[in-house]
Amino acid sequence: DAGVIQSPRHEVTEMGQEVTLRCKPISGHNSLFWYRQTMMRGLELLIYFNNNVPIDDSGMPEDRFSAKMPNASFSTLKIQPSEPRDSAVYFCASSSYNEQFFGPGTRLTVL
Amino acid sequence: GESVGLHLPTLSVQEGDNSIINCAYSNSASDYFIWYKQESGKGPQFIIDIRSNMDKRQGQRVTVLLNKTVKHLSLQIAATQPGDSAVYFCAEKSGGSYIPTFGRGTSLIVHP
């Protein structure tokens, strides 16, 4: 199994641009999580999907952030418009019950 | 959940020593606990877990101890190696929730 796959691994963009992060969870896992990690705030849960349905999006910072899961094998996290304070590492994780498997993350830099 | 401040607690050890990383949790309803290891530039990786009906669980070179009375969790690493250098996170879940609460990470530095 290739594990959780995220793309791109690195993204550098300018303030105001739209950013789309992608995630392919492990096949058979029915839960998917998007996290953001910064030195200041640590690991923050942004949104959680179960069976492709958003269950908890209370961690999404503001309306500029949106996430979708059109099918069991793909999810996106979109930031529009992006701001410098969005710079962070964004992780996708999937699980079938207890253990979460994390992807390698996308390092986002907004200039 | 807990928030992580600017400065992570750091544990510095010599290669071959045993390491103990501690974690306090606040939710008395938590019934499942996990330790993750995060190496530089990578995502967190599962190490070992323990349910609240247990006090101790052993893996390969790692042992997790759970003290529910004082809401304390520890990870012991035997014969620490340079490859163990990473940030270690504890996480807790309760009542069948799918969403873990991550604790403050601890940076482990192993000197050869």
Side-chain angles (χ1 to χ4, degrees), chain A residues 36-44, chain B residues 2-6:
Chain A
R36 177 173 67 177
Q37 187 176 45
T38 61
M39 284 298 294
M40 286 295 295
R41 301 175 67 87
L43 196 62
E44 302 174 278
Chain B
E2 298 176 71
S3 62
V4 177
L6 182 59

Side-chain angles (χ1 to χ4, degrees), chain A residues 33 37 39-40 48 98, chain B residues 4-5 38 46 51 93 98:
Chain A
F33 308 78
Q37 187 176 45
M39 284 298 294
M40 286 295 295
Y48 154 59
N98 274 327
Chain B
V4 177
Q38 186 176 19
F46 173 92
R51 296 190 181 280
K93 293 205 297 182
Y98 280 88

